[in-house]
Amino acid sequence: QKRLVESGGGAAQTGGSLTLSCVASEYTISEYCMTWFRQAPGKEREGVAAVDSDGRTKYRDPVKGRFTISRDTTNNTLHLSMTSLKPEDTGIYYCAAGRAGYCWIKHFYTWGQGTQVTVSS
């Protein structure tokens, strides 16, 4: 059964770092647009960083230069390295597998259960 399981969330202070991981069971992640989304309280879920099937990475402006997405196709694992964290990075972070070439379009994704990230000032 296909599953996406995130880990690595937690609490950090402004300027700190966290790394999230996602194990994608029964997926071949190189065939998908693997993406990290986040949802802050009271806000819509938004894409943060993606790596498409061709290996190209994409980032939303608020995280450019601070977050790095990477994939390990041998172990079917996705990572998100987050540095220079800000309070506005607080939210639930979701690992998601999307249709290749259709990154960010939520309709085409399957989702993990999410992991909480809280950044305090």
Side-chain angles (χ1 to χ4, degrees), residues 10-96:
Q13 293 190 329
T14 297
S17 301
L18 285 172
T19 297
L20 307 182
S21 296
C22 170
V23 177
S25 300
E26 303 300 322
Y27 283 91
T28 302
I29 63 172
S30 59
E31 296 178 355
Y32 294 84
C33 179
M34 297 302 297
T35 306
W36 288 98
F37 286 80
R38 69 184 179 192
Q39 188 165 17
K43 294 189 176 181
E44 289 192 6
R45 194 173 300 187
E46 61 177 4
V48 173
V51 51
D52 211 340
S53 57
D54 59 6
R56 293 184 182 181
T57 57
K58 311 170 191 287
Y59 298 92
R60 293 297 199 188
D61 285 346
V63 306
K64 282 181 180 177
R66 301 189 298 121
F67 289 12
T68 302
I69 190 170
S70 60
R71 67 182 184 182
D72 177 349
T73 55
T74 300
N75 295 303
N76 273 330
T77 304
L78 185 72
H79 302 284
L80 183 68
S81 173
M82 305 185 293
T83 63
S84 301
L85 284 164
K86 304 176 181 180
E88 52 263 43
D89 294 320
T90 294
I92 300 173
Y93 282 69
Y94 296 91
C95 173

Coordinates of all heavy atoms in Angstrom, one line a residue, residues 10-96:
G10 N 9.3 19.7 14.5 CA 9.5 20.1 15.9 C 9.5 21.5 16.1 O 9.0 22.3 15.3
A11 N 10.2 22.0 17.2 CA 10.3 23.4 17.5 C 11.7 23.9 17.2 O 12.7 23.2 17.4 CB 9.9 23.6 19.0
A12 N 11.7 25.1 16.8 CA 13.0 25.8 16.5 C 12.9 27.3 16.8 O 11.7 27.8 16.9 CB 13.4 25.6 15.1
Q13 N 14.0 27.9 17.0 CA 13.9 29.4 17.2 C 14.2 30.1 15.9 O 14.8 29.5 15.0 CB 15.0 29.8 18.3 CG 14.6 29.3 19.7 CD 15.5 29.8 20.7 OE1 16.7 30.1 20.5 NE2 15.0 30.0 21.9
T14 N 13.9 31.3 15.8 CA 14.2 32.1 14.7 C 15.7 32.0 14.4 O 16.5 32.2 15.3 CB 13.8 33.6 14.9 OG1 12.4 33.7 15.1 CG2 14.1 34.5 13.7
G15 N 16.0 31.8 13.1 CA 17.3 31.6 12.7 C 17.9 30.2 12.7 O 19.0 29.9 12.3
G16 N 17.1 29.3 13.3 CA 17.5 27.9 13.5 C 17.2 27.1 12.2 O 16.8 27.6 11.2
S17 N 17.5 25.8 12.4 CA 17.4 24.9 11.3 C 16.6 23.6 11.7 O 16.7 23.2 12.8 CB 18.8 24.5 10.8 OG 19.5 25.6 10.4
L18 N 16.0 23.0 10.7 CA 15.3 21.7 10.9 C 15.4 21.0 9.5 O 15.4 21.7 8.5 CB 13.9 21.8 11.2 CG 13.5 22.2 12.7 CD1 12.0 22.5 12.8 CD2 13.9 21.2 13.7
T19 N 15.4 19.7 9.6 CA 15.4 18.9 8.3 C 14.2 17.9 8.4 O 14.1 17.2 9.4 CB 16.7 18.1 8.1 OG1 17.8 19.1 7.9 CG2 16.6 17.3 6.9
L20 N 13.4 18.0 7.5 CA 12.2 17.0 7.4 C 12.6 15.9 6.4 O 13.3 16.1 5.4 CB 11.0 17.8 6.9 CG 10.6 19.0 7.6 CD1 9.3 19.6 7.0 CD2 10.4 18.8 9.1
S21 N 12.0 14.7 6.7 CA 12.2 13.6 5.8 C 10.9 13.0 5.5 O 9.9 13.1 6.3 CB 13.1 12.6 6.5 OG 14.4 13.1 6.6
C22 N 10.8 12.3 4.4 CA 9.5 11.6 4.0 C 9.9 10.3 3.4 O 10.6 10.3 2.3 CB 8.7 12.5 3.1 SG 7.3 11.7 2.3
V23 N 9.4 9.2 3.9 CA 9.6 7.9 3.3 C 8.4 7.6 2.5 O 7.3 7.6 3.0 CB 9.8 6.8 4.4 CG1 9.9 5.4 3.8 CG2 11.1 7.1 5.2
A24 N 8.6 7.3 1.2 CA 7.6 7.1 0.2 C 7.5 5.6 -0.1 O 8.2 5.1 -0.9 CB 7.8 7.9 -1.0
S25 N 6.6 4.9 0.7 CA 6.5 3.4 0.5 C 5.7 3.1 -0.7 O 4.6 3.7 -1.0 CB 5.9 2.8 1.7 OG 6.6 3.1 2.9
E26 N 6.2 2.1 -1.5 CA 5.5 1.7 -2.7 C 5.4 2.7 -3.8 O 4.6 2.6 -4.7 CB 4.1 1.1 -2.4 CG 4.0 0.0 -1.3 CD 4.8 -1.2 -1.7 OE1 4.8 -1.5 -2.9 OE2 5.5 -1.8 -0.9
Y27 N 6.2 3.7 -3.7 CA 6.4 4.7 -4.7 C 7.7 4.6 -5.4 O 8.7 4.2 -4.8 CB 6.3 6.2 -4.2 CG 4.9 6.7 -3.8 CD1 4.5 6.5 -2.5 CD2 4.2 7.4 -4.7 CE1 3.2 6.9 -2.1 CE2 2.9 7.8 -4.3 CZ 2.4 7.6 -3.0 OH 1.2 8.1 -2.7
T28 N 7.8 5.0 -6.6 CA 9.1 5.2 -7.3 C 9.1 6.8 -7.5 O 8.6 7.3 -8.4 CB 9.2 4.5 -8.6 OG1 9.0 3.1 -8.5 CG2 10.5 4.8 -9.3
I29 N 9.8 7.4 -6.5 CA 9.7 8.9 -6.4 C 10.2 9.6 -7.7 O 9.8 10.7 -7.9 CB 10.3 9.4 -5.1 CG1 11.8 9.2 -5.1 CG2 9.6 8.8 -3.9 CD1 12.5 9.9 -3.9
S30 N 11.1 8.9 -8.4 CA 11.6 9.6 -9.6 C 10.5 9.7 -10.7 O 10.7 10.4 -11.7 CB 12.8 8.8 -10.2 OG 12.4 7.5 -10.5
E31 N 9.4 9.1 -10.5 CA 8.3 9.2 -11.5 C 7.2 10.3 -11.1 O 6.3 10.4 -11.8 CB 7.6 7.8 -11.6 CG 8.5 6.7 -12.1 CD 7.8 5.4 -12.2 OE1 6.6 5.3 -11.7 OE2 8.4 4.4 -12.7
Y32 N 7.5 11.0 -10.0 CA 6.5 11.9 -9.5 C 7.1 13.3 -9.4 O 8.4 13.4 -9.3 CB 6.0 11.5 -8.2 CG 5.2 10.2 -8.2 CD1 5.8 9.0 -8.2 CD2 3.8 10.3 -8.3 CE1 5.0 7.8 -8.2 CE2 3.0 9.1 -8.3 CZ 3.7 7.9 -8.3 OH 2.9 6.8 -8.4
C33 N 6.3 14.3 -9.2 CA 6.7 15.6 -8.7 C 6.6 15.5 -7.2 O 5.5 15.6 -6.7 CB 5.9 16.8 -9.3 SG 6.5 18.3 -8.6
M34 N 7.7 15.3 -6.5 CA 7.6 15.2 -5.1 C 7.7 16.6 -4.5 O 8.6 17.3 -4.8 CB 8.8 14.3 -4.6 CG 8.7 12.8 -5.1 SD 7.2 12.0 -4.6 CE 7.3 12.0 -2.8
T35 N 6.8 16.8 -3.6 CA 6.7 18.2 -3.1 C 6.4 18.3 -1.6 O 5.8 17.4 -1.0 CB 5.4 18.8 -3.9 OG1 5.6 18.7 -5.3 CG2 5.3 20.3 -3.6
W36 N 6.9 19.4 -1.0 CA 6.6 19.7 0.3 C 5.6 20.9 0.3 O 5.9 21.9 -0.4 CB 7.8 20.2 1.1 CG 8.7 19.0 1.4 CD1 9.8 18.6 0.8 CD2 8.6 18.1 2.5 NE1 10.4 17.5 1.4 CE2 9.7 17.2 2.5 CE3 7.7 18.0 3.6 CZ2 9.8 16.2 3.4 CZ3 7.8 16.9 4.5 CH2 8.9 16.0 4.4
F37 N 4.5 20.7 0.9 CA 3.5 21.8 1.1 C 3.5 22.1 2.6 O 4.0 21.3 3.5 CB 2.1 21.3 0.7 CG 1.8 21.2 -0.7 CD1 2.3 20.1 -1.4 CD2 1.1 22.1 -1.4 CE1 2.0 19.9 -2.8 CE2 0.9 22.0 -2.8 CZ 1.3 20.9 -3.5
R38 N 2.9 23.3 2.9 CA 2.7 23.6 4.4 C 1.4 24.3 4.5 O 0.9 24.9 3.6 CB 3.8 24.4 4.9 CG 3.9 25.9 4.4 CD 5.1 26.6 4.9 NE 5.2 27.9 4.4 CZ 6.3 28.7 4.5 NH1 7.4 28.2 5.1 NH2 6.3 29.9 4.0
Q39 N 0.9 24.2 5.7 CA -0.4 24.9 6.0 C -0.3 25.5 7.4 O -0.1 24.8 8.4 CB -1.6 23.9 6.0 CG -2.9 24.5 6.1 CD -4.0 23.6 5.7 OE1 -3.9 22.4 5.7 NE2 -5.2 24.2 5.4
A40 N -0.4 26.8 7.4 CA -0.4 27.6 8.6 C -1.8 27.7 9.1 O -2.8 27.6 8.4 CB 0.2 29.0 8.4
P41 N -2.0 27.9 10.4 CA -3.3 28.0 11.0 C -4.2 29.1 10.3 O -3.7 30.2 10.1 CB -3.1 28.4 12.4 CG -1.7 27.9 12.7 CD -0.9 28.0 11.5
G42 N -5.4 28.7 9.9 CA -6.3 29.6 9.2 C -5.9 30.0 7.8 O -6.6 30.8 7.2
K43 N -4.9 29.3 7.2 CA -4.5 29.6 5.8 C -4.6 28.3 5.0 O -4.7 27.2 5.5 CB -3.1 30.1 5.8 CG -2.9 31.5 6.5 CD -1.6 32.1 6.3 CE -1.4 33.4 6.9 NZ -0.1 34.0 6.6
E44 N -4.6 28.6 3.7 CA -4.7 27.5 2.7 C -3.3 26.7 2.7 O -2.3 27.3 2.9 CB -5.1 28.0 1.3 CG -6.5 28.4 1.2 CD -6.9 28.6 -0.2 OE1 -6.1 28.3 -1.1 OE2 -8.0 29.1 -0.5
R45 N -3.4 25.5 2.3 CA -2.2 24.7 2.1 C -1.4 25.3 0.9 O -2.1 25.5 -0.2 CB -2.5 23.2 1.9 CG -1.3 22.3 2.0 CD -1.8 20.9 1.9 NE -2.7 20.6 3.0 CZ -3.1 19.3 3.3 NH1 -2.7 18.3 2.6 NH2 -4.0 19.1 4.3
E46 N -0.1 25.5 1.0 CA 0.6 26.1 -0.1 C 1.9 25.3 -0.4 O 2.5 24.7 0.5 CB 1.1 27.5 0.3 CG 2.0 27.6 1.5 CD 2.4 29.1 1.8 OE1 2.0 30.0 1.1 OE2 3.2 29.2 2.7
G47 N 2.3 25.2 -1.6 CA 3.5 24.5 -2.0 C 4.7 25.3 -1.5 O 4.7 26.6 -1.5
V48 N 5.7 24.6 -1.1 CA 6.9 25.2 -0.6 C 8.1 24.9 -1.5 O 8.8 25.8 -2.0 CB 7.2 24.7 0.8 CG1 8.6 25.2 1.3 CG2 6.1 25.1 1.8
A49 N 8.3 23.6 -1.8 CA 9.5 23.2 -2.6 C 9.1 21.9 -3.3 O 8.4 21.1 -2.7 CB 10.7 23.0 -1.8
A50 N 9.6 21.7 -4.5 CA 9.3 20.5 -5.3 C 10.5 20.1 -6.1 O 11.3 20.9 -6.5 CB 8.1 20.8 -6.3
V51 N 10.5 18.8 -6.3 CA 11.5 18.2 -7.2 C 10.7 17.3 -8.2 O 10.1 16.4 -7.8 CB 12.6 17.4 -6.5 CG1 12.1 16.4 -5.5 CG2 13.6 16.8 -7.5
D52 N 10.8 17.7 -9.5 CA 10.0 17.0 -10.5 C 10.7 15.7 -10.9 O 11.9 15.5 -10.5 CB 9.8 18.0 -11.7 CG 8.5 17.7 -12.4 OD1 7.9 16.6 -12.2 OD2 8.0 18.6 -13.1
S53 N 10.1 15.0 -11.8 CA 10.6 13.7 -12.2 C 11.9 13.8 -12.9 O 12.8 12.9 -12.8 CB 9.6 13.0 -13.1 OG 9.3 13.8 -14.2
D54 N 12.2 15.0 -13.5 CA 13.4 15.1 -14.2 C 14.6 15.6 -13.3 O 15.7 15.9 -13.8 CB 13.3 16.1 -15.4 CG 12.8 17.5 -15.0 OD1 12.7 17.7 -13.8 OD2 12.5 18.3 -15.9
G55 N 14.2 15.8 -12.0 CA 15.2 16.2 -11.1 C 15.3 17.7 -10.8 O 16.0 18.2 -10.0
R56 N 14.6 18.5 -11.6 CA 14.6 19.9 -11.5 C 13.9 20.3 -10.2 O 12.8 19.8 -9.9 CB 14.0 20.6 -12.7 CG 14.8 20.4 -13.9 CD 14.2 21.2 -15.1 NE 14.9 21.0 -16.3 CZ 14.6 21.6 -17.5 NH1 13.6 22.4 -17.5 NH2 15.3 21.3 -18.6
T57 N 14.4 21.2 -9.5 CA 13.8 21.7 -8.2 C 13.1 23.1 -8.5 O 13.5 23.8 -9.3 CB 14.9 21.8 -7.1 OG1 15.9 22.7 -7.6 CG2 15.5 20.5 -6.8
K58 N 12.1 23.3 -7.7 CA 11.3 24.5 -7.7 C 11.1 25.0 -6.3 O 10.8 24.1 -5.4 CB 10.0 24.3 -8.4 CG 10.1 23.5 -9.8 CD 8.7 23.1 -10.3 CE 8.8 22.2 -11.4 NZ 9.2 22.8 -12.7
Y59 N 11.1 26.3 -6.1 CA 10.9 26.8 -4.8 C 9.9 28.0 -4.9 O 10.0 28.8 -5.8 CB 12.2 27.3 -4.1 CG 13.2 26.2 -3.9 CD1 14.1 25.9 -4.9 CD2 13.1 25.5 -2.7 CE1 15.0 24.9 -4.7 CE2 14.1 24.4 -2.5 CZ 15.0 24.2 -3.5 OH 15.9 23.1 -3.3
R60 N 9.1 28.2 -3.9 CA 8.3 29.4 -3.8 C 9.2 30.5 -3.2 O 10.1 30.2 -2.4 CB 7.1 29.1 -2.8 CG 6.1 28.1 -3.4 CD 5.4 28.6 -4.6 NE 4.2 27.9 -4.9 CZ 3.5 28.0 -6.0 NH1 3.9 28.8 -7.0 NH2 2.3 27.3 -6.1
D61 N 8.8 31.7 -3.6 CA 9.7 32.8 -3.2 C 10.0 33.0 -1.7 O 11.1 33.3 -1.4 CB 9.0 34.1 -3.7 CG 9.2 34.3 -5.2 OD1 10.0 33.6 -5.8 OD2 8.5 35.2 -5.8
P62 N 9.0 32.7 -0.8 CA 9.3 33.0 0.6 C 10.4 32.1 1.2 O 11.0 32.4 2.2 CB 8.0 32.7 1.3 CG 6.9 32.9 0.2 CD 7.6 32.4 -1.0
V63 N 10.7 31.0 0.5 CA 11.7 30.1 1.0 C 13.0 30.0 0.2 O 13.9 29.3 0.6 CB 11.1 28.6 1.2 CG1 9.9 28.7 2.1 CG2 10.9 27.9 -0.1
K64 N 13.0 30.7 -0.9 CA 14.2 30.6 -1.8 C 15.4 31.1 -1.0 O 15.4 32.1 -0.3 CB 14.0 31.5 -3.0 CG 13.1 30.8 -4.1 CD 13.0 31.8 -5.3 CE 12.1 31.1 -6.4 NZ 11.9 32.0 -7.5
G65 N 16.5 30.3 -1.2 CA 17.8 30.6 -0.5 C 17.9 30.1 0.9 O 18.9 30.2 1.5
R66 N 16.7 29.6 1.4 CA 16.7 29.1 2.8 C 16.4 27.6 2.9 O 16.9 27.0 3.8 CB 15.7 29.9 3.7 CG 15.9 31.4 3.7 CD 15.0 32.1 4.7 NE 13.6 31.9 4.4 CZ 12.7 31.3 5.2 NH1 13.0 30.8 6.3 NH2 11.4 31.3 4.8
F67 N 15.6 27.1 2.0 CA 15.2 25.7 2.1 C 15.8 25.0 0.9 O 16.0 25.6 -0.2 CB 13.6 25.6 1.9 CG 12.9 26.1 3.2 CD1 13.5 26.8 4.2 CD2 11.5 25.8 3.3 CE1 12.8 27.2 5.3 CE2 10.8 26.2 4.4 CZ 11.4 26.9 5.4
T68 N 16.1 23.7 1.1 CA 16.6 22.9 0.0 C 15.9 21.6 0.0 O 15.9 20.9 1.0 CB 18.1 22.7 0.2 OG1 18.8 23.9 0.3 CG2 18.7 21.8 -0.9
I69 N 15.3 21.2 -1.1 CA 14.7 20.0 -1.3 C 15.6 19.0 -2.0 O 16.4 19.4 -2.9 CB 13.4 20.1 -2.1 CG1 12.5 18.8 -2.0 CG2 13.6 20.5 -3.5 CD1 11.1 19.0 -2.6
S70 N 15.6 17.7 -1.5 CA 16.4 16.7 -2.2 C 15.7 15.4 -2.1 O 14.8 15.2 -1.3 CB 17.8 16.6 -1.5 OG 17.7 16.3 -0.1
R71 N 16.1 14.5 -3.0 CA 15.5 13.2 -3.0 C 16.6 12.1 -3.1 O 17.6 12.3 -3.7 CB 14.5 13.0 -4.2 CG 15.2 13.1 -5.6 CD 14.2 13.0 -6.7 NE 14.9 12.9 -8.0 CZ 14.3 12.8 -9.2 NH1 13.0 12.9 -9.2 NH2 15.0 12.7 -10.3
D72 N 16.3 11.0 -2.5 CA 17.1 9.8 -2.5 C 16.3 8.7 -3.2 O 15.5 8.1 -2.6 CB 17.5 9.4 -1.1 CG 18.4 8.2 -1.0 OD1 18.5 7.5 -2.0 OD2 18.9 7.9 0.1
T73 N 16.6 8.6 -4.5 CA 15.8 7.6 -5.3 C 16.1 6.2 -4.9 O 15.2 5.3 -5.2 CB 16.0 7.9 -6.8 OG1 17.4 7.8 -7.1 CG2 15.5 9.2 -7.2
T74 N 17.2 5.9 -4.3 CA 17.6 4.5 -3.9 C 16.7 4.1 -2.8 O 16.2 3.0 -2.7 CB 19.0 4.4 -3.5 OG1 19.8 4.8 -4.6 CG2 19.3 3.0 -3.1
N75 N 16.5 5.0 -1.8 CA 15.7 4.7 -0.7 C 14.3 5.3 -0.7 O 13.5 5.2 0.3 CB 16.4 5.2 0.6 CG 17.7 4.5 0.8 OD1 17.7 3.2 0.9 ND2 18.8 5.2 0.9
N76 N 13.9 5.9 -1.8 CA 12.6 6.5 -2.0 C 12.3 7.4 -0.8 O 11.2 7.4 -0.2 CB 11.5 5.4 -2.1 CG 11.3 5.0 -3.5 OD1 11.5 5.8 -4.5 ND2 11.0 3.8 -3.7
T77 N 13.2 8.3 -0.6 CA 13.1 9.3 0.5 C 13.2 10.7 0.0 O 14.1 11.0 -0.8 CB 14.1 9.0 1.6 OG1 14.0 7.6 2.0 CG2 13.9 9.9 2.8
L78 N 12.4 11.6 0.6 CA 12.4 13.0 0.2 C 12.9 13.8 1.5 O 12.5 13.4 2.6 CB 11.1 13.4 -0.2 CG 10.9 14.9 -0.7 CD1 11.6 15.0 -2.1 CD2 9.4 15.2 -0.8
H79 N 13.7 14.8 1.3 CA 14.1 15.6 2.4 C 13.8 17.1 2.1 O 13.7 17.5 1.0 CB 15.6 15.5 2.6 CG 16.0 14.1 2.9 ND1 15.8 13.4 4.1 CD2 16.6 13.1 2.1 CE1 16.3 12.2 4.0 NE2 16.8 12.0 2.8
L80 N 13.7 17.8 3.2 CA 13.6 19.3 3.1 C 14.5 19.9 4.2 O 14.2 19.7 5.4 CB 12.2 19.8 3.3 CG 12.0 21.3 3.1 CD1 12.3 21.7 1.7 CD2 10.6 21.7 3.6
S81 N 15.6 20.5 3.8 CA 16.5 21.2 4.8 C 16.1 22.6 4.9 O 16.0 23.3 3.9 CB 17.9 21.1 4.3 OG 18.8 21.8 5.1
M82 N 15.8 23.0 6.1 CA 15.3 24.4 6.3 C 16.2 25.1 7.2 O 16.5 24.7 8.3 CB 13.9 24.3 7.0 CG 12.9 23.5 6.2 SD 11.2 23.5 7.0 CE 11.5 22.6 8.5
T83 N 16.7 26.2 6.7 CA 17.6 27.1 7.5 C 17.1 28.5 7.6 O 16.1 28.8 7.0 CB 19.0 27.1 6.9 OG1 18.9 27.7 5.6 CG2 19.6 25.7 6.7
S84 N 17.7 29.3 8.5 CA 17.3 30.7 8.7 C 15.8 30.7 8.9 O 15.1 31.6 8.3 CB 17.7 31.5 7.5 OG 19.1 31.5 7.4
L85 N 15.3 29.9 9.8 CA 13.8 29.8 10.0 C 13.2 31.0 10.5 O 13.9 31.8 11.3 CB 13.5 28.6 10.9 CG 13.6 27.2 10.2 CD1 13.7 26.1 11.3 CD2 12.5 27.0 9.3
K86 N 12.0 31.3 10.2 CA 11.3 32.5 10.6 C 9.9 32.0 11.2 O 9.4 31.0 10.9 CB 11.0 33.4 9.4 CG 12.2 33.8 8.6 CD 11.8 34.6 7.4 CE 13.0 35.0 6.6 NZ 12.6 35.8 5.4
P87 N 9.4 32.9 12.1 CA 8.1 32.5 12.7 C 7.0 32.2 11.6 O 6.1 31.3 11.8 CB 7.7 33.7 13.5 CG 9.0 34.3 13.9 CD 9.9 34.1 12.7
E88 N 7.1 32.9 10.5 CA 6.1 32.6 9.4 C 6.3 31.3 8.7 O 5.4 30.9 7.9 CB 6.1 33.8 8.4 CG 7.4 34.1 7.8 CD 8.1 35.3 8.6 OE1 8.0 35.3 9.8 OE2 8.7 36.2 7.9
D89 N 7.3 30.6 9.0 CA 7.5 29.2 8.5 C 6.7 28.2 9.3 O 6.6 27.0 9.0 CB 9.0 28.8 8.5 CG 9.8 29.6 7.6 OD1 9.3 29.9 6.5 OD2 11.0 30.0 8.0
T90 N 6.1 28.6 10.4 CA 5.3 27.7 11.3 C 4.1 27.2 10.5 O 3.4 27.9 9.8 CB 4.8 28.5 12.5 OG1 6.0 28.9 13.3 CG2 3.9 27.7 13.4
G91 N 3.9 25.9 10.7 CA 2.7 25.2 10.1 C 2.9 23.7 10.1 O 3.9 23.2 10.6
I92 N 1.9 23.0 9.5 CA 2.0 21.6 9.3 C 2.6 21.4 7.9 O 2.1 22.0 6.9 CB 0.7 20.9 9.4 CG1 0.1 21.2 10.8 CG2 0.8 19.4 9.1 CD1 -1.3 20.7 10.9
Y93 N 3.7 20.6 7.8 CA 4.4 20.4 6.6 C 4.0 19.0 6.1 O 4.1 18.0 6.8 CB 5.9 20.5 6.7 CG 6.4 21.9 6.8 CD1 6.1 22.7 7.9 CD2 7.1 22.4 5.8 CE1 6.5 24.0 7.9 CE2 7.5 23.8 5.8 CZ 7.2 24.5 6.9 OH 7.6 25.9 6.9
Y94 N 3.5 19.0 4.8 CA 3.1 17.7 4.2 C 4.0 17.3 3.0 O 4.3 18.1 2.2 CB 1.7 17.9 3.6 CG 0.6 18.2 4.6 CD1 0.3 19.5 5.0 CD2 -0.1 17.2 5.2 CE1 -0.7 19.8 5.9 CE2 -1.1 17.5 6.2 CZ -1.4 18.8 6.5 OH -2.3 19.1 7.5
C95 N 4.3 16.1 3.0 CA 5.0 15.4 1.9 C 3.9 15.0 0.9 O 2.9 14.5 1.3 CB 5.8 14.3 2.4 SG 6.5 13.2 1.1
A96 N 4.1 15.2 -0.4 CA 3.1 14.9 -1.3 C 3.7 14.4 -2.6 O 4.8 14.9 -3.0 CB 2.2 16.1 -1.6

